[in-house]
Amino acid sequence: MIQETTFQFLRNLEKNNTREWFNDNKNTYEYEKANFVDFCSELLEGLKLIQENLLYTDVKSCIFRINRDIRFSKDKSPYKTYFSAAFGPGGRSSGQIDFYIQLQDNETMLGGGMWQPTAENLGKFRQEIDYNPEELKNIINSDNFRNHFPEVHGQELVTSPKGYSKDHPEIELLRKKEMFFVKKFTNGEVLKKDFTEIMLTHCKVLKPYLDYLNELFEPTK
């Protein structure tokens, strides 16, 4: 389970986001990262029971580096102030829509869905909404899904996309440029002994939407 010391380390890192401080506290970082990896390992074992293509995925391949890519960023802080991981077949670089988790002080979250899709995949999404909107709507409008993920996130067009009428009955979905769902957790929730089970419950609810997207975006053979 996640320890309070992990949040304390992340708070300290946020206040002292320099390479000098990080190097001076490298041992603490390694200890707290190990706590996060242990949690992810337990979560991954639970995910393997609901998603067969994760069966041979190693937890270390799911963990993101804490170093930030600052090449094109005005913010030159060298480190992220959170631990993060993505659970797809083979790890974080699966190329599929996967479960993403981020452990951060007062901002811990689970997320997944259509985020920054390619033009091709966005076209597939809109075409499917045009032809068969009910499959997606049955997933995201179910009471169980809405209870766990009540809010849709992501960018959308102000007007209708090219090729679709502004009077289209599914225009709200067609305007989506992104469509992902997020569940945030308080520190108190994260520190509970049953937090892994809580996270798995939300993953099970999110899974049908991720499966829908992965099937839709599967490359044509």
Side-chain angles (χ1 to χ4, degrees), residues 112-115 125 136 140 152-155 173 176-181 209 213:
M114 187 174 68
W115 180 71
F125 177 80
L136 174 60
I140 64 174
V152 181
H153 296 264
Q155 297 182 347
L173 287 173
K176 302 294 184 187
K177 296 172 63 178
E178 299 175 319
M179 187 175 177
F180 56 93
F181 295 89
Y209 177 54
L213 292 176

Side-chain angles (χ1 to χ4, degrees), residues 9 18-29 79:
F9 168 77
T18 66
R19 287 185 173 84
E20 292 77 14
W21 183 90
F22 191 87
N23 289 334
D24 288 343
N25 291 271
K26 192 67 176 291
N27 289 340
T28 304
Y29 160 71
Y79 305 105

Side-chain angles (χ1 to χ4, degrees), residues 157-198:
L157 296 172
V158 176
T159 184
S160 58
K162 184 177 180 180
Y164 297 96
S165 168
K166 64 179 181 180
D167 299 322
H168 193 289
E170 304 300 338
I171 191 59
E172 292 301 317
L173 287 173
L174 290 170
R175 287 171 52 214
K176 302 294 184 187
K177 296 172 63 178
E178 299 175 319
M179 187 175 177
F180 56 93
F181 295 89
V182 172
K183 169 62 180 178
K184 291 190 175 182
F185 302 93
T186 66
N187 286 9
E189 290 173 315
V190 175
L191 295 174
K192 289 182 178 179
K193 291 182 178 180
D194 63 346
F195 180 62
T196 303
E197 290 304 316
I198 293 172

